[in-house]
Amino acid sequence: MPADGEHRALLDDTYKLFSLTNPLHADAFPSVRQMEAEVVAITADLLGGGPNGPNLNVCGAMTSGGTESILSAVKASRDYMAERKGIREPEMIIGVSAHAAYWKAAEYFRIKLHVVPVGRDFRLSVANVRRYINRNTAILVASAPGFPHGLVDDVKGIARLAARAGICCHVDACLGGFCLPFVRRLGGRVPPFDFSVPGVTSMSVDTHKYGQAHKGTSVVLYSCPELRAHQYTRITDWTGGLYISPGLAGSRPGALIASAWASLVHLGEEGLMAATRDIINARDTLIAGIRSEIPELEVIGEPEMGVVAFRSRKPRDINIYVLNDWLSTRGWHLNALQAPPALHFCFTAMNAVSAPALVVALRQGVAEQLANPQVAAEAARRGSAPLYGMANVTLDRGMLGEFLVAYQDVMLIP
Ligand SMILES: Cc1ncc(COP(=O)(O)O)c(C=O)c1O
């Protein structure tokens, strides 16, 4: 299995070797510079760029993670649209299933955000995006796949809308970039989602997710260097000297670049394919298990890769958040979703073996709630269940926001 001890030991050893390097000083650390360029090239190659891809101009940079890749792409796209189209009050359209990082980007970069519904199939469609486009629209966003339900949006349709309007289209492939190409090679159904789609202008792809690298790295790709240049900060009259930096950070950990490079080179396409095969088998085991053995639960949509979301068919009998708390006490870690109330499990190369055990645990958890409704009702007043229960019914988002701030404050108390 690729994500085993040997792979991790290689990453850890590589990190140690490069722990004092910093690509801000490319002249001092030429090998780190080379590795960043190669990680970007490997990623572009997989996603419609590179010498064999339909778009030879695809280029990019490494960042600290998916959020930073998204922030970088949104900032560059905003500034590119200001230059190209004179858009001074930029707007961005995302689906409700887009990652929280877009809210952050809109907040940081003062972009008006339209959060639009997804379709009945939980995917963002052209119809839902089109009606929000106006002369200030600078960026459309599609996910491949989205975090909540693991479903790929209509990238082709949304990118076509962007191309017609002459604006940017970012595809969030933070989860999918190192997995979907291999799902396709294994014969799975994957709609077009990368630079082979005309109109896609940028993508975020996380090495620290399905690239199996240490946490702290991602790749942001652009359809052309002119767009990428708007991510850079150049200062020509600073007393500290001539300054150019590609992204949000100044100094960066060269060790993470080196270990991400080691991860991709060690895995190769064979390793990524093997991991994807395990992940897809695990997804199929969970989906088949829920459909055949747990009629109280319903899988949401037809996920292309290893993120499987499900909800209760009978919320009066099965409280999905109580089920989540029950699973947590037994060592499982699932993500709680809202609107609609649901859970998801994200299969990786490391945890794919656990799919049959998860089906058993879900069956037991559901059976316990059905057998002990009073205990379940009591459990709905403890743990995370009441918070999520409240989040799904309260209209007072301000109060919930205050709660989140208080929670974050507490987390930062030593
Ligand atoms: C689809 C998607 N986009 C973006 C992100 C943000 O990535 P990060 O947590 O690395 O900042 C995630 C994280 O799970 C994600 O699933």
PDB file of all heavy atoms in Angstrom, residues 64-68 70 99 101 145-147 172 174-175 206 208-209, ligand 1:
ATOM      1  N   SER A  64       0.810  26.787   0.778  1.00  0.00           N
ATOM      2  CA  SER A  64       0.817  26.047   2.045  1.00  0.00           C
ATOM      3  C   SER A  64      -0.375  25.103   2.202  1.00  0.00           C
ATOM      4  O   SER A  64      -0.472  24.376   3.180  1.00  0.00           O
ATOM      5  CB  SER A  64       0.799  27.040   3.207  1.00  0.00           C
ATOM      6  OG  SER A  64      -0.414  27.776   3.171  1.00  0.00           O
ATOM      7  N   GLY A  65      -1.328  25.138   1.259  1.00  0.00           N
ATOM      8  CA  GLY A  65      -2.492  24.259   1.396  1.00  0.00           C
ATOM      9  C   GLY A  65      -3.609  24.715   0.478  1.00  0.00           C
ATOM     10  O   GLY A  65      -3.485  25.721  -0.239  1.00  0.00           O
ATOM     11  N   GLY A  66      -4.705  23.992   0.526  1.00  0.00           N
ATOM     12  CA  GLY A  66      -5.819  24.287  -0.366  1.00  0.00           C
ATOM     13  C   GLY A  66      -6.332  25.701  -0.191  1.00  0.00           C
ATOM     14  O   GLY A  66      -6.623  26.396  -1.171  1.00  0.00           O
ATOM     15  N   THR A  67      -6.468  26.128   1.054  1.00  0.00           N
ATOM     16  CA  THR A  67      -6.997  27.468   1.288  1.00  0.00           C
ATOM     17  C   THR A  67      -6.099  28.519   0.656  1.00  0.00           C
ATOM     18  O   THR A  67      -6.569  29.434  -0.017  1.00  0.00           O
ATOM     19  CB  THR A  67      -7.168  27.708   2.809  1.00  0.00           C
ATOM     20  OG1 THR A  67      -8.093  26.740   3.304  1.00  0.00           O
ATOM     21  CG2 THR A  67      -7.667  29.110   3.101  1.00  0.00           C
ATOM     22  N   GLU A  68      -4.794  28.364   0.839  1.00  0.00           N
ATOM     23  CA  GLU A  68      -3.900  29.368   0.249  1.00  0.00           C
ATOM     24  C   GLU A  68      -3.929  29.305  -1.278  1.00  0.00           C
ATOM     25  O   GLU A  68      -3.851  30.347  -1.955  1.00  0.00           O
ATOM     26  CB  GLU A  68      -2.462  29.236   0.761  1.00  0.00           C
ATOM     27  CG  GLU A  68      -1.634  30.450   0.354  1.00  0.00           C
ATOM     28  CD  GLU A  68      -0.142  30.318   0.635  1.00  0.00           C
ATOM     29  OE1 GLU A  68       0.235  29.643   1.612  1.00  0.00           O
ATOM     30  OE2 GLU A  68       0.632  30.894  -0.147  1.00  0.00           O
ATOM     31  N   ILE A  70      -6.507  28.580  -3.069  1.00  0.00           N
ATOM     32  CA  ILE A  70      -7.747  29.256  -3.463  1.00  0.00           C
ATOM     33  C   ILE A  70      -7.611  30.768  -3.278  1.00  0.00           C
ATOM     34  O   ILE A  70      -7.964  31.550  -4.161  1.00  0.00           O
ATOM     35  CB  ILE A  70      -8.936  28.665  -2.668  1.00  0.00           C
ATOM     36  CG1 ILE A  70      -9.222  27.255  -3.188  1.00  0.00           C
ATOM     37  CG2 ILE A  70     -10.172  29.561  -2.756  1.00  0.00           C
ATOM     38  CD1 ILE A  70     -10.208  26.451  -2.359  1.00  0.00           C
ATOM     39  N   HIS A  99     -15.977  25.303  -1.064  1.00  0.00           N
ATOM     40  CA  HIS A  99     -15.277  25.294   0.224  1.00  0.00           C
ATOM     41  C   HIS A  99     -15.318  26.656   0.927  1.00  0.00           C
ATOM     42  O   HIS A  99     -15.395  27.708   0.270  1.00  0.00           O
ATOM     43  CB  HIS A  99     -13.813  24.877   0.012  1.00  0.00           C
ATOM     44  CG  HIS A  99     -13.125  24.520   1.287  1.00  0.00           C
ATOM     45  ND1 HIS A  99     -12.385  25.421   2.010  1.00  0.00           N
ATOM     46  CD2 HIS A  99     -13.105  23.361   1.987  1.00  0.00           C
ATOM     47  CE1 HIS A  99     -11.914  24.826   3.085  1.00  0.00           C
ATOM     48  NE2 HIS A  99     -12.334  23.575   3.103  1.00  0.00           N
ATOM     49  N   ALA A 101     -13.087  28.301   2.006  1.00  0.00           N
ATOM     50  CA  ALA A 101     -11.973  29.177   1.626  1.00  0.00           C
ATOM     51  C   ALA A 101     -12.422  30.328   0.718  1.00  0.00           C
ATOM     52  O   ALA A 101     -11.792  31.391   0.702  1.00  0.00           O
ATOM     53  CB  ALA A 101     -10.885  28.363   0.916  1.00  0.00           C
ATOM     54  N   PRO A 145     -13.912  17.339  -6.642  1.00  0.00           N
ATOM     55  CA  PRO A 145     -15.305  17.524  -6.240  1.00  0.00           C
ATOM     56  C   PRO A 145     -15.382  18.499  -5.085  1.00  0.00           C
ATOM     57  O   PRO A 145     -14.364  18.912  -4.531  1.00  0.00           O
ATOM     58  CB  PRO A 145     -15.678  16.115  -5.757  1.00  0.00           C
ATOM     59  CG  PRO A 145     -14.415  15.617  -5.106  1.00  0.00           C
ATOM     60  CD  PRO A 145     -13.274  16.233  -5.875  1.00  0.00           C
ATOM     61  N   GLY A 146     -16.621  18.825  -4.653  1.00  0.00           N
ATOM     62  CA  GLY A 146     -16.826  19.674  -3.484  1.00  0.00           C
ATOM     63  C   GLY A 146     -16.605  18.886  -2.200  1.00  0.00           C
ATOM     64  O   GLY A 146     -16.801  17.666  -2.178  1.00  0.00           O
ATOM     65  N   PHE A 147     -16.207  19.608  -1.163  1.00  0.00           N
ATOM     66  CA  PHE A 147     -15.920  18.967   0.121  1.00  0.00           C
ATOM     67  C   PHE A 147     -17.134  18.246   0.722  1.00  0.00           C
ATOM     68  O   PHE A 147     -17.014  17.094   1.163  1.00  0.00           O
ATOM     69  CB  PHE A 147     -15.397  20.035   1.107  1.00  0.00           C
ATOM     70  CG  PHE A 147     -15.268  19.568   2.522  1.00  0.00           C
ATOM     71  CD1 PHE A 147     -14.160  18.855   2.948  1.00  0.00           C
ATOM     72  CD2 PHE A 147     -16.275  19.834   3.449  1.00  0.00           C
ATOM     73  CE1 PHE A 147     -14.053  18.412   4.263  1.00  0.00           C
ATOM     74  CE2 PHE A 147     -16.178  19.403   4.764  1.00  0.00           C
ATOM     75  CZ  PHE A 147     -15.063  18.686   5.171  1.00  0.00           C
ATOM     76  N   ASP A 172     -11.838  24.067  -8.173  1.00  0.00           N
ATOM     77  CA  ASP A 172     -11.265  23.578  -6.919  1.00  0.00           C
ATOM     78  C   ASP A 172     -11.094  22.062  -7.012  1.00  0.00           C
ATOM     79  O   ASP A 172     -12.050  21.306  -6.836  1.00  0.00           O
ATOM     80  CB  ASP A 172     -12.208  23.944  -5.764  1.00  0.00           C
ATOM     81  CG  ASP A 172     -11.653  23.481  -4.426  1.00  0.00           C
ATOM     82  OD1 ASP A 172     -10.605  22.806  -4.423  1.00  0.00           O
ATOM     83  OD2 ASP A 172     -12.268  23.793  -3.391  1.00  0.00           O
ATOM     84  N   CYS A 174      -8.792  20.602  -5.107  1.00  0.00           N
ATOM     85  CA  CYS A 174      -7.966  20.324  -3.922  1.00  0.00           C
ATOM     86  C   CYS A 174      -8.071  18.854  -3.557  1.00  0.00           C
ATOM     87  O   CYS A 174      -7.076  18.191  -3.257  1.00  0.00           O
ATOM     88  CB  CYS A 174      -8.424  21.190  -2.747  1.00  0.00           C
ATOM     89  SG  CYS A 174      -7.902  22.901  -2.902  1.00  0.00           S
ATOM     90  N   LEU A 175      -9.290  18.331  -3.581  1.00  0.00           N
ATOM     91  CA  LEU A 175      -9.484  16.915  -3.271  1.00  0.00           C
ATOM     92  C   LEU A 175      -9.232  16.043  -4.505  1.00  0.00           C
ATOM     93  O   LEU A 175      -8.662  14.960  -4.410  1.00  0.00           O
ATOM     94  CB  LEU A 175     -10.931  16.680  -2.809  1.00  0.00           C
ATOM     95  CG  LEU A 175     -11.282  17.016  -1.365  1.00  0.00           C
ATOM     96  CD1 LEU A 175     -12.796  16.948  -1.163  1.00  0.00           C
ATOM     97  CD2 LEU A 175     -10.596  16.066  -0.401  1.00  0.00           C
ATOM     98  N   ASP A 206      -4.289  19.782  -4.115  1.00  0.00           N
ATOM     99  CA  ASP A 206      -3.512  19.645  -2.877  1.00  0.00           C
ATOM    100  C   ASP A 206      -2.591  18.428  -2.857  1.00  0.00           C
ATOM    101  O   ASP A 206      -3.056  17.274  -2.811  1.00  0.00           O
ATOM    102  CB  ASP A 206      -4.454  19.574  -1.674  1.00  0.00           C
ATOM    103  CG  ASP A 206      -5.106  20.915  -1.383  1.00  0.00           C
ATOM    104  OD1 ASP A 206      -4.780  21.887  -2.088  1.00  0.00           O
ATOM    105  OD2 ASP A 206      -5.922  20.975  -0.453  1.00  0.00           O
ATOM    106  N   HIS A 208      -0.967  17.826  -0.274  1.00  0.00           N
ATOM    107  CA  HIS A 208      -1.070  17.269   1.086  1.00  0.00           C
ATOM    108  C   HIS A 208      -2.375  16.508   1.334  1.00  0.00           C
ATOM    109  O   HIS A 208      -2.628  16.066   2.449  1.00  0.00           O
ATOM    110  CB  HIS A 208      -0.788  18.328   2.164  1.00  0.00           C
ATOM    111  CG  HIS A 208      -1.854  19.360   2.402  1.00  0.00           C
ATOM    112  ND1 HIS A 208      -1.633  20.423   3.254  1.00  0.00           N
ATOM    113  CD2 HIS A 208      -3.104  19.519   1.939  1.00  0.00           C
ATOM    114  CE1 HIS A 208      -2.730  21.177   3.282  1.00  0.00           C
ATOM    115  NE2 HIS A 208      -3.627  20.652   2.505  1.00  0.00           N
ATOM    116  N   LYS A 209      -3.161  16.333   0.288  1.00  0.00           N
ATOM    117  CA  LYS A 209      -4.321  15.434   0.421  1.00  0.00           C
ATOM    118  C   LYS A 209      -3.987  14.149  -0.355  1.00  0.00           C
ATOM    119  O   LYS A 209      -3.250  13.313   0.136  1.00  0.00           O
ATOM    120  CB  LYS A 209      -5.599  16.110  -0.093  1.00  0.00           C
ATOM    121  CG  LYS A 209      -6.022  17.290   0.795  1.00  0.00           C
ATOM    122  CD  LYS A 209      -7.412  17.782   0.472  1.00  0.00           C
ATOM    123  CE  LYS A 209      -7.885  18.837   1.454  1.00  0.00           C
ATOM    124  NZ  LYS A 209      -7.252  20.163   1.290  1.00  0.00           N
TER     125      LYS A 209
HETATM  126  C1  LIG B   1     -12.621  20.792  -1.922  1.00  0.00           C
HETATM  127  C2  LIG B   1     -11.711  21.469  -0.943  1.00  0.00           C
HETATM  128  N1  LIG B   1     -11.200  22.672  -1.234  1.00  0.00           N
HETATM  129  C3  LIG B   1     -10.382  23.320  -0.395  1.00  0.00           C
HETATM  130  C4  LIG B   1     -10.019  22.772   0.819  1.00  0.00           C
HETATM  131  C5  LIG B   1      -9.125  23.544   1.748  1.00  0.00           C
HETATM  132  O1  LIG B   1      -7.935  22.863   1.921  1.00  0.00           O
HETATM  133  P1  LIG B   1      -6.963  23.147   3.160  1.00  0.00           P
HETATM  134  O2  LIG B   1      -7.650  22.612   4.366  1.00  0.00           O
HETATM  135  O3  LIG B   1      -5.728  22.403   2.773  1.00  0.00           O
HETATM  136  O4  LIG B   1      -6.734  24.603   3.259  1.00  0.00           O
HETATM  137  C6  LIG B   1     -10.534  21.519   1.167  1.00  0.00           C
HETATM  138  C7  LIG B   1     -10.212  20.928   2.454  1.00  0.00           C
HETATM  139  O5  LIG B   1     -10.697  19.888   2.834  1.00  0.00           O
HETATM  140  C8  LIG B   1     -11.398  20.846   0.268  1.00  0.00           C
HETATM  141  O6  LIG B   1     -11.920  19.658   0.558  1.00  0.00           O
END
